[in-house]
């Protein structure tokens, strides 16, 4: 029993990580007043760049950097459209998603001619799982042992990074000058403006941070969890991260828990698939495959109802109606 | 006039490391031997199937080999339009005078690897990861189960399917997660019939120090020492043979059913997995093979009643 | 011309210290697309004086001040601070040059605390905790010095507007402003709060700070300012020493012609009650109770005025009565028919029953800016049979009627095809008014009827309202302009914090009403 | 025409054209990056789409899909709703159409089945849009996210139905049986024999699409409902003031939107494939977004935009055939760039154009 739970939680961690990075990314963007449907695209773009670079340079770290770089580029496009050009942010986000979906495969095919995939990565060019000290030694201590050895220990560095990022983000958003200004600009840009702050600059900084975090998310998919880039490998994670963000009411710590929840749902769906459900009996696999999406909707609708986003999010900052 | 063959792959494409790739290898083999070049095309959306076939036919390519059951409907239309062109389809039956239909007894091959899995397991639990929950995949699954049960009647078999969209064939991450969860549920050998998704399954097996079983092409080389064997589906052989027949003018239309007897399906044994296969495993599987060919053991064909008794 | 005259014969304005003016604007221009909001403005303000700027709505006052504060950038012109020519590209530089501004529409972050709002942009250190401590002390000091006590940890969004303004002022002072601009500060204050504010302004003046006070209320100008400038339609038409001018002169300068500020209110015999409201309670979407057990009635041929500082429940009251929002509880009797306001809330239904509604904010509610004039002329009445052929709209009929109304209400430019946004404020208001009056309702709800419109339009609108009264309609008038309330209403009720705190006759004095608006009720006291 | 204003033909002609050109220039760069000759590419693209009868036929065939999905997105846009669920709604709509055909095709001629198929498609599509609409209206759940989730759910549903219930005994491919003549729309190549449509699948659904455009145009700009939809989209507060129920409009609009998306199946399921098969929507639901944005929500614009994308799809297929490195993903990239330039960067060229016209327009502000 215990190890079943551990197993599910273990894969929960693996599945939550990309969501968590993306969710925190979205948090910065939306706190600053920029709605970002384009998380998905940034993740995908980064996943491709990371895998490609990791393959070429035989180093996951260079891969990570490349992923972040590309993700930030995409973020800047979104920033330019929604901050400088005051365009429709949702539309811009959708465009980013398509752009990433198309370009990754196109370039992948052109560079590696493997049907849009990057070549498989050997373990030297991936982030491998790290055993925490004494994992084996403690393994047979009752209860704690397995938890430490199988659950806490034995993930790749990005998993730990994603959870370490949570308190950091909280501290930045609620304890630093930048955080205060970030929240102000998302709630009432004119207030920030008349307080002598540059709305544009603040929002660009937020989108760039968003890009960086999405970069981590993508890199995790292709050079940590997976071993190479595959067409559309983000598979809707960007959107689920958004749902999680709303569910988390734009708060970092909540975000961690909601992402864990969504990851858990996914893990559970996998775990339950093809098993007799007590009382119901044999259930078609598709039910479980649809489960995470269904539950996303249910959570979005049932539990939180109307979540109030940062007041200015989605609205371009226009001083002069001309 | 010149001999100009063409191949049309289905979703997944030339390099899916599995089904389509096997067809590609076959055509490549033929090319290397005869120096005859060939055109090929990767399908991206359903309407393109018909279009691609027609394009090749119109440009006078002949024979035209289509890979995958999904192409049957398109082929049926186009083959009628070009009665003088020779077509072949793998994995489906199209009953036309100018079409050669090549189908495999995946059940038989799966039976053998199932049997091997049953012997390799130490937990009496083995797993199966399919791509999408469609008949073809159930065909694999059924044979696999039967083979395993044949070797060990009360063996536990965990069965999972990856997805419901085209991505089901190209999602190694999900494949990996499914495999991991099966391992955690006690399985120590997992057979995949999920195209590219399978690479994730084999990856997971390698990471977790468990056994994976490859499919379609020989995937033993991917993770030496961890891929127990591969259920080889002789698509490459079939494609190669079809091209040869066409070139040497002894083309035959109609249905070709390739099973163990015809060497259409088999289990992979090479330097990569030799250390994993004990003598008695080897003899047992060879014995079973003989029995199946001789008809002493009858492998259930999922397609006859769309159900699997095992 | 006036400029010269101001510098030469030194009034209190420039006697104060050196004769270098604190602010000097020369030939400032600003256009917003089609709108030429400021037409080469010249302005001189002496150090240590309180300078008033008056002008009708839309005259360009806020724009000019926003330019001075670096919020907008002028298209052309020079700005001199303390005699030195300078540029003010953004508010940052304005602040650094000692300019502070209290905006007409507050620039506060609602979910932030008072303290957070005050230090925003002047945090003093990359980490909040560095700045916060001494900010708290400094804030305390200022609050005491100008007796503007306030809880530094209160969430601004939950403070009454009066206090929110306090935060704005403290914000400016915290940044060490020498020049303080206040844009229409009294719009949101009770008379007594206004007086308190003026006391503070005088203190600041005496400390040598320069104060710019924007308003369109003449009384205030006469009360506190040393010098005054008048704007009209984007131009600076005159500057005067307050001592040497009069309300009448200013009013005339403001409008460009002599105006009678009195409306003539003929005797009308009052009929039976057409609108009767009982025990009305309304919560806003945040769940806060904004209207508390309000009851009143309006009779045929009567104008009932609802006075009160904005944000005391008037808007929620109108929304509930007109069927836009559902009330918590309460009933309404509309021309004899009883309605449960907690049950039905359907604006269309209410219109059908003969209640029409001129909303407080035409841009937000009354009009759809992107729609053309004729489309706006049926907003809310679009389901009326006369506008439709089956499921389709009868556009010819609609256009025809719109044309007639444009004639009748002298809407300019006289076109049915121009989008609402492109009409001027006054004309936009006329479009709404025409729509809501021409449907011949029994009851007319009308909020802030003359906000953002010029005197000419004001007169016209007031007369329309009087016509309704004469025709024996019931009119419920909500306005923050006491003068307007007093000149139009037969009876006046005052709302404070969601309650009706008192009722008065038309003859009620400003002080009297002012006290009620501040929540002070003598009868209750006695 | 006052300062800062532009003549209609500039607003609805020149600016979109500029945006489009920008999108294509960038696309050209992408082609260069992957080491191919853009002009060569364009040549094949245009030839493949318009060079011969069958190409034109395919172009129209794809365009038909995009008209339906484009209208779906546009109608939602008019109510200020962003329906990204067109894909799933079309997919499920196809089911409704297939059921109608399977039930009737053996007994009655196609033109009797047709109305039932239309009803089936619209109904099922609308049904799939209903839940997201309801949740948006009543619970304020972000419709962009819920519709996306419903795309995933739709594919799960369809795989289950196709491989367990609708699949004929003993066949491999998860699809329904082929419809008989009574469930097949006439192909234009058999109707207009005078013009050579080659073997292209363009069929009567094309005219249905055009007819629907007219209906949508009437609905949005000439009916009371349309008035309410636009009011709600432009200014929800004013709509509430006018007694227009946000819940009602949100739901009705999404039902219409979903219904329109659902009709797409008429073209693919009843017209081309004459059976229901996996993933038949093939991304058309998403192309609809680009089409709606480019068409500025107006049926005429949508038809033109749909034609353009039909051209891209068909030409792209030929292109991929001639230059395999330029796969169909190139079209996705172009689609993305069009959404970016025609949608998010809509106003990028406006200031320049305005400045240009101001210099030539003598008359000044009326204010
Ligand atoms: N941000 C803006 N964009 C476009 N036009 C504007 C903007 N701000 C003001 N205007 C226009 O400029 C003119 C002057 O507006 P302004 O707010 O300065 O007038 P005001 O004197 O402050 O009026 P009020 O007394 O109502 O505050 C008006 O016609 C207004 O419509
Ligand atoms: N929101 C807006 N969008 C576009 N143009 C506007 C807007 N507000 C005002 N304008 C333009 O500014 C001009 C003046 O508008 P404004 O509201 O200042 O009128 P005004 O000067 O107050 O006159 P009135 O006394 O009629 O209100 C209008 O003719 C209109 O063209
Ligand atoms: Mg103002
Ligand atoms: Mg005005």
């Amino acid at each position: 029993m215990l190890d079943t739970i551990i197993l599910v939680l273990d894969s929960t961690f693996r599945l939550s990580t990309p969501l968590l990075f993306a969710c925190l990314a979205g948090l910065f963007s939306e706190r600053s007043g920029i709605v970002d449907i384009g998380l998905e695209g940034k993740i995908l773009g980064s996943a491709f760049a990371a895998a490609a670079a990791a393959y070429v340079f035989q180093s996951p770290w260079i891969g990570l950097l490349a992923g972040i770089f590309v993700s930030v580029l995409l973020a800047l496009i979104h920033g330019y459209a929604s901050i400088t050009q005051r365009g429709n942010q949702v539309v811009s986000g959708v465009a980013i998603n398509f752009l990433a979906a198309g370009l990754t495969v196109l370039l992948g095919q052109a560079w590696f001619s493997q049907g849009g995939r990057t070549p498989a990565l050997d373990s030297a060019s991936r982030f491998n799982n790290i055993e925490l000290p004494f994992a084996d030694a403690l393994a047979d201590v009752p209860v704690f042992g397995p938890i430490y050895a199988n659950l806490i220990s034995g993930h790749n560095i990005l998993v730990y990074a994603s959870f370490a990022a949570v308190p950091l983000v909280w501290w930045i958003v609620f304890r630093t000058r930048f955080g205060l200004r970030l929240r102000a600009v998302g709630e009432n840009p004119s207030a920030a403006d008349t307080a002598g702050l540059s709305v544009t600059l603040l929002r660009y900084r937020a989108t760039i941070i968003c890009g960086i975090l999405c970069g981590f998310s993508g890199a995790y998919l292709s050079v940590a969890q997976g071993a190479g880039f595959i067409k559309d490998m983000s598979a809707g994670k960007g959107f689920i991260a958004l749902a999680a963000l709303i569910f988390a009411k734009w708060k970092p710590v909540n975000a961690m828990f909601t992402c864990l929840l969504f990851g858990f749902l996914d893990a559970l769906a996998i775990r339950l698939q093809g098993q007799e459900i007590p009382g119901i009996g044999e259930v078609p696999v598709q039910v479980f495959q649809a489960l995470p999406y269904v539950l996303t909707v249910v959570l979005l609708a049932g539990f939180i109802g109307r979540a109030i986003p940062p007041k200015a999010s989605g609205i371009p900052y226009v001083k002069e109606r001309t | 006039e010149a001999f100009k063959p063409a191949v049309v792959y289905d979703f997944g494409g030339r390099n899916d490391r599995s089904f389509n790739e096997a067809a590609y290898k076959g055509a490549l083999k033929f090319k290397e031997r005869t120096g005859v070049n060939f055109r090929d095309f990767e399908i991206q959306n359903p309407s393109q199937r018909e279009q691609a076939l027609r394009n090749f036919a119109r440009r006078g390519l002949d024979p035209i080999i289509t890979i995958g059951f999904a192409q049957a409907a398109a082929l049926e239309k186009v083959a009628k339009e070009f009665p003088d062109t020779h077509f072949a389809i793998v994995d489906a039956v199209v009953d036309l005078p100018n079409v050669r239909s090549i189908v495999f007894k995946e059940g038989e091959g799966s039976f053998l690897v199932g049997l091997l899995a049953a012997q390799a397991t130490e937990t009496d639990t083995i797993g199966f990861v399919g791509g999408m929950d469609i008949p073809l995949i159930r065909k694999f699954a059924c044979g696999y189960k039967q083979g395993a049960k044949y070797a060990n009647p009360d063996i536990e078999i965990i069965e999972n399917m990856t997805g419901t969209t085209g991505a089901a064939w190209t999602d190694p991450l999900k494949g990996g997660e499914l495999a991991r969860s099966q391992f955690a549920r006690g399985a120590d050998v997992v057979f995949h019939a999920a195209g590219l998704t399978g690479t994730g399954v084999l990856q997971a097996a390698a990471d977790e120090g468990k056994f994976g079983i490859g499919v379609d092409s020989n995937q033993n080389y991917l993770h030496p020492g961890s891929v127990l064997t591969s259920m080889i589906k002789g698509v490459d052989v079939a494609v190669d043979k079809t091209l040869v027949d066409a070139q040497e003018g002894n083309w035959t239309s109609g249905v070709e059913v390739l099973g163990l007897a015809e060497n259409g399906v088999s289990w992979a044994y090479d330097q990569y997995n030799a250390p994993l296969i004990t003598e008695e495993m080897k003899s047992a599987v060879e014995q079973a093979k003989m029995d199946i060919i001789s008809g002493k053991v009858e492998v259930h064909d999922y397609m006859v009643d769309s159900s699997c008794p095992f | 011309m006036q400029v010269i005259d101001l510098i030469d014969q030194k009034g209190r304005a420039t006697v104060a210290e050196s004769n270098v003016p604190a602010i000097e604007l020369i030939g400032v221009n600003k256009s917003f697309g089609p709108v030429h909001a400021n037409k080469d403005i010249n302005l001189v303000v002496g150090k240590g004086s309180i300078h008033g700027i008056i002008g009708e709505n839309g005259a360009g006052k806020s724009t000019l001040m926003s330019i001075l504060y670096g919020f907008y950038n002028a298209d052309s012109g020079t700005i001199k601070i303390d005699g030195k020519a300078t540029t003010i590209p953004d508010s940052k530089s304005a602040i650094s040059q000692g300019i502070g501004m209290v905006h007409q529409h507050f620039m506060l972050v609602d979910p932030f605390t008072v303290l957070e709002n005050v230090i925003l942009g002047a945090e003093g250190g990359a980490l909040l905790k560095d700045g916060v401590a001494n900010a708290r002390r400094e804030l305390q000091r200022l609050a005491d010095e100008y007796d503007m006590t306030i809880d530094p940890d209160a969430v601004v969004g939950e403070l009454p507007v009066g206090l929110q303004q306090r935060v704005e002022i403290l914000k400016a002072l915290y940044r060490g402003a020498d020049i303080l601009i206040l844009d229409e500060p009294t719009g949101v204050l009770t008379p007594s709060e206004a007086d308190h504010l003026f006391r503070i302004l005088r203190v600041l003046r005496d400390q040598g700070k320069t104060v710019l006070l924007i308003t369109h209320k003449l009384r205030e100008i006469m009360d506190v300012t040393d010098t005054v400038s008048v704007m009209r339609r984007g131009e600076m038409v005159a500057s005067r020493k307050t001592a040497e001018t009069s309300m009448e002169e200013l009013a005339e300068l403001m409008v460009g012609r002599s105006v009678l500020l009195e409306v003539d209110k003929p005797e009308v015999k009052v009929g039976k009650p057409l609108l009767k409201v009982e025990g009305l309670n309304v919560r806003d979407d945040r769940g806060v109770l904004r209207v508390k057990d309000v009851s009143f009635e309006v009779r045929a041929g009567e104008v009932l005025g609802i006075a009160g500082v904005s944000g005391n429940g008037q808007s929620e009251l109108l929304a509930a009565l007109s069927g836009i929002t559902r009330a918590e509880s309460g009933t309404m009797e509309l021309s004899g028919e009883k309605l449960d306001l907690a049950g039905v809330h359907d604006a269309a239904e209410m219109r059908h029953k003969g209640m029409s509604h001129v909303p407080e904010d035409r841009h937000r509610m009354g009009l759809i800016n992107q729609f053309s004039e004729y489309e706006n002329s049926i907003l809310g009445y679009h389901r009326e049979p006369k506008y439709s052929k089956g499921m389709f709209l009868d556009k010819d009929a609609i256009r025809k009627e719109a044309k007639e109304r444009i004639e009748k209400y002298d809407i300019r430019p006289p076109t049915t095809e121009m989008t609402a946004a492109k009409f001027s404020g006054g004309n936009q208001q006329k479009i709404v008014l025409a729509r809501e009056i021409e449907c011949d309702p029994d009851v007319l709800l009308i909020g802030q009827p003359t906000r953002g419109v010029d005197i000419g339009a004001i007169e016209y609108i007031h007369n329309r309202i009087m016509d309704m009264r004469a025709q024996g309609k019931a009119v419920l008038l909500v306005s923050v302009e006491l003068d307007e309330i007093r000149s139009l209403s037969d009876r006046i009720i005052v709302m404070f914090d969601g309650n009706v705190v008192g009722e008065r006759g038309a003859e009620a004095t400003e002080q009297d009403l002012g006290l009620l608006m501040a929540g002070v009720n003598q009868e209750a006291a006695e | 025409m006052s300062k800062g204003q532009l003549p209609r033909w500039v607003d609805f002609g020149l600016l979109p054209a500029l945006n489009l050109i920008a999108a294509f220039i960038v696309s050209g760069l992408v082609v260069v990056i992957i080491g191919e000759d853009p002009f060569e590419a364009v040549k094949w693209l245009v030839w493949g789409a318009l060079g011969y009868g069958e190409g034109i036929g395919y172009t129209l065939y794809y365009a038909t899909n995009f008209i339906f999905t484009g209208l779906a997105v546009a109608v939602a846009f008019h109510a200020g709703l962003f329906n990204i669920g067109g894909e799933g709604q079309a997919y499920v709509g196809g089911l409704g159409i297939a059921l109608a055909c399977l039930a009737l095709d053996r007994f009655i001629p196609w033109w009797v089945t047709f109305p039932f198929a239309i009803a089936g498609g619209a109904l099922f599509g609308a049904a799939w849009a209903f839940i997201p609409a309801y949740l948006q209206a009543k619970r304020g759940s972000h419709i962009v996210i819920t519709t996306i989730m419903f795309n995933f759910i739709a594919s799960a549903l369809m795989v289950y139905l196709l491989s367990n219930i609708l699949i004929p005994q003993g066949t491999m491919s998860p699809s329904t049986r082929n419809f008989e003549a009574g469930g097949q729309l006439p192909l234009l190549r058999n109707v207009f024999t005078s013009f050579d449509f080659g073997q292209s699948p363009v069929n009567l659904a094309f005219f249905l699409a055009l007819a629907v455009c007219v209906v949508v145009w009437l609905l949005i700009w000439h009916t009371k409902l349309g008035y309410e939809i636009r009011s709600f989209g432009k200014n929800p507060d004013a709509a509430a003031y006018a007694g227009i129920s946000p819940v009602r409009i949100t739901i009705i609009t999404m039902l219409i939107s979903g219904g329109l998306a659902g009709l797409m199946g008429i073209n693919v399921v009843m017209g081309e494939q004459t059976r229901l098969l996996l993933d038949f929507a093939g991304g058309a639901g998403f192309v609809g977004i680009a089409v709606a944005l480019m068409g500025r929500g107006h049926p005429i614009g949508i038809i033109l935009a749909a034609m353009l994308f039909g051209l891209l799809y068909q030409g792209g297929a030929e292109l991929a055939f001639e230059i395999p490195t330029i796969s169909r993903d190139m079209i996705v990239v172009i689609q993305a760039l069009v959404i970016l330039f025609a949608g998010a960067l809509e106003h990028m060229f406006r200031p320049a154009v305005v400045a240009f016209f101001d210099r030539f327009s003598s008359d000044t502000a009326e204010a």
Side-chain angles (χ1 to χ4, degrees), chain C residues 358-473:
Chain C
V358 178
E360 293 178 298
D361 181 343
R362 56 178 171 274
H363 281 291
R364 214 184 101 247
M365 271 197 179
L367 293 163
I368 295 176
N369 273 331
Q370 304 90 328
F371 276 15
S372 59
E373 195 277 341
Y374 79 89
E375 282 181 302
N376 274 297
S377 73
I378 59 167
L379 186 64
Y381 300 90
H382 53 278
R383 290 204 163 274
E384 293 289 322
K386 64 174 171 176
Y387 297 131
S388 51
K389 295 202 223 87
M391 66 185 300
F392 292 94
L393 288 168
D394 181 349
K395 295 207 167 184
D396 303 337
I398 298 169
R399 281 202 174 83
K400 187 163 156 302
E401 204 192 55
K403 268 251 168 294
E404 293 163 9
R405 291 179 183 177
I406 287 178
E407 303 276 315
K408 183 168 177 190
Y409 286 77
D410 181 32
I411 294 167
R412 301 195 201 144
T415 164
T416 56
E417 305 309 308
M418 190 162 88
T419 59
K422 292 209 180 82
F423 285 90
S424 75
N427 287 301
Q428 288 168 337
Q429 188 70 343
K430 284 180 174 183
I431 295 172
V432 178
L433 213 61
R435 182 181 69 213
E436 300 302 321
I437 290 179
E438 288 306 302
C439 64
D440 185 35
D442 302 328
V443 178
L444 174 66
L445 307 179
I446 182 162
Q448 317 299 352
T450 56
R451 175 183 286 168
V453 307
D454 64 89
I455 295 276
I458 290 178
E459 269 179 317
Y460 184 86
I461 293 167
H462 285 175
N463 293 332
R464 287 279 79 64
I465 295 176
M466 287 300 104
D467 294 351
M468 294 292 282
R469 176 169 170 273
Q471 294 161 24
K473 315 286 188 190

Side-chain angles (χ1 to χ4, degrees), chain C residues 85-137:
Chain C
T86 174
T87 60
I88 309 180
D90 52 26
S91 304
K92 190 189 182 77
S93 95
I95 293 168
S96 67
Q97 301 184 44
I99 303 173
M101 180 162 176
V102 175
H103 294 263
Q104 185 173 9
H105 311 288
F106 296 156
M107 298 297 186
L108 296 168
V109 185
D110 289 347
F112 280 15
T113 64
V114 171
L115 196 61
E116 285 175 320
N117 268 289
V118 169
I119 64 171
L120 179 64
E123 299 83 353
L127 300 187
L128 289 184
K129 62 169 166 43
D130 307 354
V132 166
N134 42 22
R136 192 177 286 277
R137 250 179 281 103

Side-chain angles (χ1 to χ4, degrees), chain C residues 34 347-348 351 357 364-365 367-368 370-371 375 379-380 382-383 388 390-393 395 422 435-436, chain D residues 2-3 5 218 221-225 227-228 230-231 234-235 237-238 240-244 248 365-367:
Chain C
R351 282 193 180 76
H357 175 200
R364 214 184 101 247
M365 271 197 179
L367 293 163
I368 295 176
Q370 304 90 328
F371 276 15
E375 282 181 302
L379 186 64
H382 53 278
R383 290 204 163 274
S388 51
M391 66 185 300
F392 292 94
L393 288 168
K395 295 207 167 184
K422 292 209 180 82
R435 182 181 69 213
E436 300 302 321
Chain D
S2 77
K3 223 165 179 311
Q5 319 298 93
L218 285 172
W221 282 279
H222 290 277
T223 66
K224 290 178 246 174
L225 179 61
Y227 180 89
E228 298 189 334
R230 285 183 297 128
S231 306
K234 289 270 185 290
N235 182 345
D237 292 320
Y241 160 80
I244 297 165
R248 179 170 153 276
E366 82 237 15

Side-chain angles (χ1 to χ4, degrees), chain A residues 14 117 230 271 273 289, chain B residues 15 161 170 177 185 196:
Chain A
R14 284 195 301 273
R117 295 190 307 281
I230 290 92
R271 180 70 176 75
Q273 197 196 102
Q289 288 162 333
Chain B
N15 307 88
M161 296 292 177
T170 60
E177 279 304 322
R185 285 150 71 179
L196 188 63

Side-chain angles (χ1 to χ4, degrees), chain C residues 210-221:
Chain C
T210 308
V211 178
L212 269 163
L213 176 66
I214 313 326
T215 179
H216 54 254
K217 294 182 186 152
L218 297 166
R219 190 178 57 79
E220 299 173 348
I221 292 296

